[in-house]
Amino acid sequence: MAIERTLSIIKPDAVRQNLTGQINSRFEDVGLRIIAQRRLSLSRQQAEGFYAVHKERSFFRDLCDFMCSGPIVVQILEGNNAIARNRELMGTTNPANAGEGTIRKDFGESVEANSVHGSDSPETADSEIAYFFSVIDITG
């Protein structure tokens, strides 16, 4: 098994409901370590920069509006196969279709307000981590 790092975002809907601790417990329960963490509010420019890959999609504007609607928690998770483990724990994008016991099934409200974001590949993880953290922020 490969030790990996992945970006995790606890989205405004989950932060608003005070679910950060419950979500982080789930990460830790499956062996993922939180090696960097920051609570922040995204500006419109920051949200558009982070989600630039989706710029041409119909949901881009609404997604950026939502991600600017309240504080988020950005963090780096580290562990064996962290990307796949995090994505399995999160569940599918639509909470209505997510598996039982996943974060999105248990806490998500909609496709947009689905509580969490996670990187989908090592390359994406590297670029997403670099978007929010410098090397000095990582304490793993």
Side-chain angles (χ1 to χ4, degrees):
M1 288 191 228
I3 299 293
E4 294 177 326
R5 291 179 175 171
T6 187
L7 184 80
S8 167
I9 300 177
I10 301 176
K11 293 182 176 182
D13 58 305
V15 172
R16 196 170 10 260
Q17 295 177 69
N18 202 29
L19 296 171
T20 302
Q22 290 180 62
I23 291 170
N24 283 342
S25 288
R26 290 182 184 210
F27 296 140
E28 292 173 338
D29 288 347
V30 298
L32 297 173
R33 293 181 31 218
I34 300 166
I35 62 168
Q37 184 179 67
R38 169 180 295 129
R39 181 183 172 113
L40 55 96
S41 293
L42 290 177
S43 69
R44 181 72 188 194
Q45 183 179 8
Q46 290 168 324
E48 288 178 355
F50 183 74
Y51 287 107
V53 67
H54 300 302
K55 189 172 186 162
E56 301 305 319
R57 301 215 172 160
S58 61
F59 60 82
F60 178 73
R61 180 183 171 105
D62 290 340
L63 175 61
C64 291
D65 288 344
F66 171 67
M67 292 302 290
C68 294
S69 71
I72 61 172
V73 175
V74 293
Q75 51 198 10
I76 303 171
L77 306 178
E78 181 180 75
N80 289 326
N81 298 312
I83 296 167
R85 291 174 89 186
N86 182 42
R87 294 190 67 77
E88 182 179 324
L89 185 59
M90 288 189 313
T92 58
T93 302
N94 185 343
N97 300 331
E100 292 299 320
T102 63
I103 293 168
R104 289 176 171 158
K105 181 69 165 188
D106 292 345
F107 304 127
E109 300 170 0
S110 67
V111 172
E112 185 177 86
N114 61 12
S115 300
V116 288
H117 163 89
S119 304
D120 63 4
S121 71
E123 297 77 25
T124 302
D126 289 344
S127 94
E128 289 182 346
I129 288 169
Y131 194 84
F132 290 107
F133 296 96
S134 69
V135 173
I136 199 167
D137 297 318
I138 304 169
T139 60

